[in-house]
Amino acid sequence: MTGKDTAESNGQSELIEISIPTALELRRLKLACLIDVRQKFELEIEGEIKDSYSLPLFRFKHLLGHNLTQEEQEILDEDIPSMEDIQYFLTMINGLHNTKDCITVCICNSGKRSISAARLLRLLGYSRAFSLVGGYRALKEVMDRE
């Protein structure tokens, strides 16, 4: 894990980012689940991450009732989420975090949006939520070398 970015919680500073080698090792040991927060069009262009869960950040924020910027809303381009959407989201996150006892590692293209996603998860009480340093692009470089 790195100390590059921190989140404040109860007056203490805690790590929010996790390095690629650490995340990959935790995943290999089945201790971590990857949540891909990129938008659907990004998955189609850049490629999907095998065995990851897709939960686009803007949809995630919308499901939680957060106001989106005009740009985020245009990218999302969806109506207000239904109760079924919210229940599905909470069931999925609870299943990963509690039932499977997974550390959740959020991934976006560069590692910036995933910090927001990890922070949102932590605000919901999922204290073992992290952001992957460098995002998908850095992960792809590492995986291409292996």
Side-chain angles (χ1 to χ4, degrees), residues 36-53:
D36 196 330
V37 300
R38 295 176 296 157
Q39 296 301 116
K40 185 176 180 174
F41 72 89
E42 292 175 292
L43 300 177
E44 291 168 359
I45 293 169
E46 300 277 338
E48 295 183 34
I49 302 168
K50 185 180 177 192
D51 299 324
S52 67
Y53 299 87

Side-chain angles (χ1 to χ4, degrees), residues 77-107:
D77 198 23
E78 289 189 15
D79 295 324
I80 296 172
S82 69
M83 187 53 75
E84 290 83 22
D85 291 333
I86 295 168
Q87 288 172 336
Y88 171 78
F89 163 75
L90 292 173
T91 299
M92 184 187 79
I93 295 298
N94 280 327
L96 294 176
H97 193 78
N98 298 323
T99 307
K100 288 189 176 183
D101 198 30
C102 280
I103 295 166
T104 52
V105 180
C106 300
I107 303 170

Side-chain angles (χ1 to χ4, degrees), residues 16 63 139:
I16 193 101
L63 287 171
L139 176 65

